[in-house]
Amino acid sequence: MKDHVYKLIELTGTSTTSVEDAVAKAIKRAHKTIKNLSWFQVVETRGAINKGQVDHWQVTIKVGFTVEG
């Protein structure tokens, strides 16, 4: 097995639908500019309330990717 070096970044995705959707949006956006995305870890989950209901979610994740070369 080849040894790898990873870089770790932190992102916050948002969604009015769900926590999972917020994570997916953050990863989808990162995928547009970063190669070799490997894994993620949820660091924090927050939300906003409007009129007694969940208005939107904010999920902060750490995303790891393999450094090339």
Side-chain angles (χ1 to χ4, degrees):
M1 181 177 180
K2 184 178 177 183
D3 292 329
H4 296 281
V5 173
Y6 297 94
K7 181 161 179 72
L8 190 63
I9 60 171
E10 193 169 277
L11 305 168
T12 300
T14 63
S15 173
T16 56
T17 307
S18 68
V19 171
E20 291 84 359
D21 188 48
V23 171
K25 285 179 178 179
I27 292 171
K28 183 177 181 180
R29 177 59 185 90
H31 177 71
K32 290 181 180 181
T33 58
I34 301 170
K35 296 179 185 179
N36 305 318
L37 297 177
S38 297
W39 53 271
F40 73 92
Q41 172 187 352
V42 174
V43 177
E44 184 175 25
T45 305
R46 298 181 299 278
I49 301 167
N50 186 15
K51 298 179 182 175
Q53 303 227 353
V54 175
D55 188 52
H56 74 271
W57 297 94
Q58 295 179 335
V59 182
T60 300
I61 60 175
K62 290 184 180 179
V63 180
F65 58 94
T66 307
V67 177
E68 292 182 350

